Amino acid sequence: MNSNVDKIKERLSIVDVVSSYLTVEKAGKNYKAKCPFHNEKTPSFFISPDRGSYYCFGCGEKGDIFSFVEKFEGIDFLGALKLLAERAGVDISSSYNKKSRDDREIYYEIMEKATSFFETEFSKNPEARSYLMNRGLSDKTIKLFRIGYAPNTWRSVSDYLLKIGYKKKDLEIMGLIKSKDENSFYDRFRGRIMFPISDSSGRVIAFSGRILDLSSDTDKSSYEEAKYLNSPDTPLFNKSNVLFGIDKAKNSIRTRGYSIVVEGQMDLIMSHQAGFTNTIAVSGTAFTDSVVDDSSERDGNESKINNLGLVRRLSPNIIFAYDGDSAGIRAASRSAMIALSLDMQVKIAILPLDKDPADIILENADNWKDIIKNSANIVSFHIDRICKSTSDIRQRGRQIREIIFPFLAMVGSAIERSAYITEIHSKTGLDESAIIKDFEIYENTHSIKKAENKEINNINANIPSRRDHLEQRLFGVIFWQKDNKNIQELRSSFEESIGSDLFQNMHNRHKPNTDTLAFQAEMWYGGKTDALAPDIKEIALSLEEEILNEQKLLLQPLDAEDKLVKFNAIAKRIEEIKQNRSL
């Protein structure tokens, strides 16, 4: 019997899957598109219906429908399996059993059970429903977003989950409980309306809870910290890499050609209810943290860029619709600067000072439509603000340098920057040649742009690299087929090619995930081992090529004879690999 992977592949062609994400065009018997995994102006991403695979001649990315969805959506193999199985109408529930489940699957189960529990409790709480109805939500919307309620008691969800067999340590890992000591613990979320946060495949990975009622006997001091309480970082949830509502908005972003970013859960949900289903929210994430201009904070900036990775692949056009006060404008500007550095077209929606999107939509949804329709280019918006704030030419010049130049430094296109400089000149009255000279000085004295560009080259740093993916596939089969003579011979051959020390380091790195990788390999090949050897041989060659390319980079510059000899030997081996394997 075919595996679930085979069944899905039989029902979904590579062209169908890729074309649901990208605009593809016929190229002989194949298809081509602009690669979503690196910036390019002309298509170098080719899709082969015969092979059921894709290959990018620009960045080297290749694979099948599963690896494409993993990479594009920023999810793991099981997340891609879930998405594609639903699309293909394949039931994969029988693939999971108690023995094969890894910790992550248990965590997903816990979050799903907790979501259902909160939904049930919501149905019993008229006060929670009344609050949401007064905010303008319909029953249909409440069910769509699976909004729930955490009872105002010390142990409601924990008692429920422990009773049906889950472990206390797993509940704590997933941020559902907090421990006072070894034997004493309590629910993190109490007396709160619960908004589930899902990954792009729709699996619940975290919660954001809004305080509802303080009139209870429980310790009210716990509520004083924040009106909203979010899950901590967990093995499933990293607040820097998740956008609220992305699972429900992604298809609409792709079809409408732009995304709307708001700050809060209610803003997002009301926007969806008003028909703007291409809206996502940054609530509970680190998306609006300051733009990094210090190398010591580089990792944080990398995460924020990753936060926009999927959105940018869906559409390069984005509108930030934060609150209209000064704090909202500053937050939108920080986010916009990151988006500009990713070569996105950025606009800002101009909201009234005292209202957020949810308030505006509640009063009149048509007003929200007009605000989105009349959103302004982010740079033009700030130029106009400067002109309104002062007529003094010197003050305008200073504000242009302080406010506008950082945006221009993020713009990759010289033509766009030139157009902005012309706009600055025409609106402010500043001399155009002086603007150009000052901007050149700014670029020479600020390192932000160069530092950011290092990150732009790989907007998917949170997603496993091609080498990581190849390693996981290879060692998954090695762990799964530990008694298969042919596979172990290939293993030995690969070890000999790359060296025992490097191989052992890789083996030790993946060994803690033996069960997970073996399980994924078994699901991938569906128990059929006849195709394993040629497939693993090609994976091993591809992985060796990745390693050799990394070693070539480390040899730069070629300022010594021994470096040149090693470089030439590596280049020769890479050429041999290319000649001995298919694309």
Side-chain angles (χ1 to χ4, degrees):
M1 181 178 178
N2 288 349
S3 70
N4 286 324
V5 168
D6 289 331
K7 290 178 184 177
I8 293 168
K9 286 184 174 182
E10 287 171 2
R11 300 184 189 186
L12 299 177
S13 74
I14 185 70
V15 177
D16 289 339
V17 172
V18 174
S19 63
S20 69
Y21 290 91
L22 309 174
T23 300
V24 304
E25 57 183 284
K26 202 83 166 65
K29 67 176 183 178
N30 299 316
Y31 292 80
K32 64 180 180 179
K34 290 182 181 178
C35 182
F37 307 127
H38 78 288
N39 292 332
E40 64 176 7
K41 300 299 182 183
T42 57
S44 62
F45 187 88
F46 283 78
I47 306 123
S48 170
D50 293 341
R51 293 175 179 268
S53 62
Y54 62 88
Y55 182 81
C56 178
F57 288 90
C59 66
E61 285 294 336
K62 68 174 185 175
D64 58 11
I65 57 174
F66 290 93
S67 57
F68 179 84
V69 171
E70 280 183 70
K71 182 77 173 179
F72 194 101
E73 298 270 9
I75 53 181
D76 58 14
F77 169 74
L78 295 176
L81 181 66
K82 175 182 179 292
L83 273 179
L84 292 172
E86 289 176 355
R87 183 170 171 179
V90 174
D91 181 11
I92 61 173
S93 58
S94 60
S95 300
Y96 302 99
N97 56 66
K98 295 292 184 181
K99 291 183 178 180
S100 62
R101 291 187 309 165
D102 68 346
D103 287 342
R104 288 176 66 85
E105 284 304 300
I106 294 172
Y107 299 153
Y108 283 120
E109 277 188 16
I110 288 172
M111 300 305 280
E112 175 60 30
K113 294 290 185 183
T115 302
S116 297
F117 173 82
F118 293 139
E119 286 179 295
T120 300
E121 292 300 317
F122 179 86
S123 67
K124 302 175 185 178
N125 192 296
E127 185 183 359
R129 183 177 182 276
S130 177
Y131 168 79
L132 293 181
M133 289 293 174
N134 289 336
R135 293 294 305 271
L137 298 191
S138 66
D139 281 326
K140 181 180 178 181
T141 298
I142 292 170
K143 290 178 182 178
L144 175 64
F145 283 88
R146 305 189 66 186
I147 301 173
Y149 176 71
N152 206 358
T153 59
W154 288 108
R155 292 187 187 178
S156 57
V157 70
S158 56
D159 283 348
Y160 168 74
L161 293 171
L162 292 170
K163 185 176 180 180
I164 60 177
Y166 294 104
K167 298 177 181 177
K168 172 180 170 290
K169 70 176 181 63
D170 291 330
L171 304 189
E172 188 167 12
I173 287 171
M174 292 313 299
L176 291 172
I177 65 173
K178 297 179 75 173
S179 295
K180 292 182 179 179
D181 52 52
E182 187 175 340
N183 299 314
S184 178
F185 61 91
Y186 56 92
D187 290 351
R188 178 183 296 271
F189 300 100
R190 307 184 308 283
R192 292 178 180 269
I193 292 177
M194 300 298 290
F195 298 90
I197 299 173
S198 301
D199 64 14
S200 67
S201 68
R203 296 176 295 182
V204 178
I205 55 176
F207 293 101
S208 183
R210 188 202 186 281
I211 188 171
L212 177 65
D213 181 22
L214 291 178
S215 59
S216 75
D217 294 331
T218 55
D219 183 6
K220 299 176 186 179
S221 64
S222 63
Y223 295 122
E224 294 174 1
E225 295 180 4
K227 180 166 67 174
Y228 279 92
L229 179 65
N230 299 310
S231 292
D233 283 356
T234 71
L236 302 185
F237 175 65
N238 183 310
K239 62 179 178 291
S240 299
N241 298 330
V242 178
L243 291 169
F244 181 59
I246 189 64
D247 57 313
K248 294 176 177 61
K250 61 184 180 182
N251 291 332
S252 184
I253 292 171
R254 187 164 50 236
T255 55
R256 295 190 182 193
Y258 71 99
S259 59
I260 302 169
V261 184
V262 296
E263 290 185 280
Q265 286 99 336
M266 290 301 298
D267 296 331
L268 174 134
I269 296 171
M270 287 293 286
S271 190
H272 274 248
Q273 186 170 281
F276 287 88
T277 52
N278 53 334
T279 305
I280 51 180
V282 295
S283 181
T285 75
F287 186 60
T288 54
D289 282 358
S290 300
V291 173
V292 172
D293 60 3
D294 184 278
S295 59
S296 65
E297 300 178 20
R298 194 69 58 216
D299 290 342
N301 190 52
E302 178 180 322
S303 294
K304 294 196 290 294
I305 288 176
N306 294 334
N307 206 319
L308 266 177
L310 173 57
V311 179
R312 182 189 177 280
R313 291 186 214 119
L314 296 169
S315 172
N317 304 307
I318 191 167
I319 299 172
F320 291 98
Y322 294 179
D323 291 354
D325 57 14
S326 58
I329 291 173
R330 286 196 302 271
S333 297
R334 290 193 296 266
S335 299
M337 197 172 295
I338 299 169
L340 282 172
S341 75
L342 296 176
D343 200 24
M344 299 181 79
Q345 298 298 313
V346 184
K347 290 186 175 183
I348 184 168
I350 304 171
L351 277 66
L353 285 175
D354 57 345
K355 294 180 181 178
D356 59 27
D359 296 329
I360 294 167
I361 295 168
L362 180 60
E363 288 183 4
N364 189 337
D366 287 337
N367 291 341
W368 180 241
K369 293 177 183 178
D370 290 338
I371 286 172
I372 295 301
K373 181 180 178 180
N374 296 321
S375 56
N377 175 283
I378 185 67
V379 177
S380 300
F381 168 77
H382 280 292
I383 295 172
D384 290 341
R385 289 186 78 222
I386 291 170
C387 290
K388 289 177 183 178
S389 69
T390 180
S391 59
D392 184 275
I393 200 74
R394 290 174 180 164
Q395 288 187 23
R396 285 183 174 183
R398 179 177 57 80
Q399 290 186 37
I400 290 294
R401 289 191 296 273
E402 293 177 355
I403 298 172
I404 303 299
F405 281 4
F407 285 104
L408 294 189
M410 293 296 105
V411 176
S413 168
I415 294 174
E416 284 190 50
R417 271 185 280 165
S418 176
Y420 284 133
I421 288 171
T422 300
E423 182 180 354
I424 294 169
H425 160 67
S426 64
K427 289 182 175 179
T428 65
L430 295 168
D431 180 74
E432 189 164 354
S433 60
I435 298 170
I436 293 171
K437 185 174 181 179
D438 272 7
F439 182 64
E440 288 175 349
I441 294 171
Y442 176 89
E443 279 202 297
N444 290 333
T445 55
H446 290 74
S447 60
I448 297 177
K449 181 175 173 60
K450 291 181 180 179
E452 292 290 347
N453 280 340
K454 292 178 182 178
E455 307 298 344
I456 296 170
N457 291 330
N458 181 12
I459 63 175
N460 310 297
N462 66 306
I463 302 170
S465 67
R466 173 169 161 75
R467 173 172 171 175
D468 291 333
H469 182 72
L470 290 169
E471 285 188 23
Q472 290 168 8
R473 287 283 299 278
L474 177 65
F475 280 92
V477 173
I478 290 173
F479 295 144
W480 172 41
Q481 294 290 312
K482 57 182 179 295
D483 297 324
N484 185 314
K485 183 178 178 181
N486 289 335
I487 296 301
Q488 296 310 314
E489 286 178 354
L490 286 171
R491 172 192 183 279
S492 299
S493 176
F494 176 67
E495 181 176 359
E496 184 178 348
S497 297
I498 67 169
S500 295
D501 289 344
L502 179 56
F503 179 88
Q504 197 59 47
N505 287 337
M506 292 165 59
H507 181 276
N508 292 341
R509 186 163 64 251
H510 294 291
K511 190 174 181 180
N513 299 315
T514 295
D515 292 340
T516 300
L517 294 176
F519 172 53
Q520 291 184 3
E522 186 174 1
M523 291 186 69
W524 185 276
Y525 292 100
K528 296 189 301 184
T529 59
D530 53 330
L532 278 178
D535 198 16
I536 295 308
K537 183 177 180 180
E538 181 164 341
I539 289 173
L541 287 171
S542 298
L543 180 53
E544 183 184 353
E545 183 181 1
E546 288 291 312
I547 293 168
L548 291 171
N549 280 321
E550 290 176 9
Q551 292 175 351
K552 276 176 63 178
L553 288 175
L554 293 174
L555 290 172
Q556 300 288 351
L558 299 175
D559 52 3
E561 176 105 18
D562 59 331
K563 279 190 177 183
L564 182 60
V565 171
K566 290 178 182 178
F567 184 91
N568 289 335
I570 290 173
K572 181 179 179 181
R573 175 55 184 161
I574 291 174
E575 189 59 34
E576 290 174 355
I577 290 173
K578 288 181 177 179
Q579 292 176 0
N580 283 284
R581 67 171 175 81
S582 59
L583 290 176

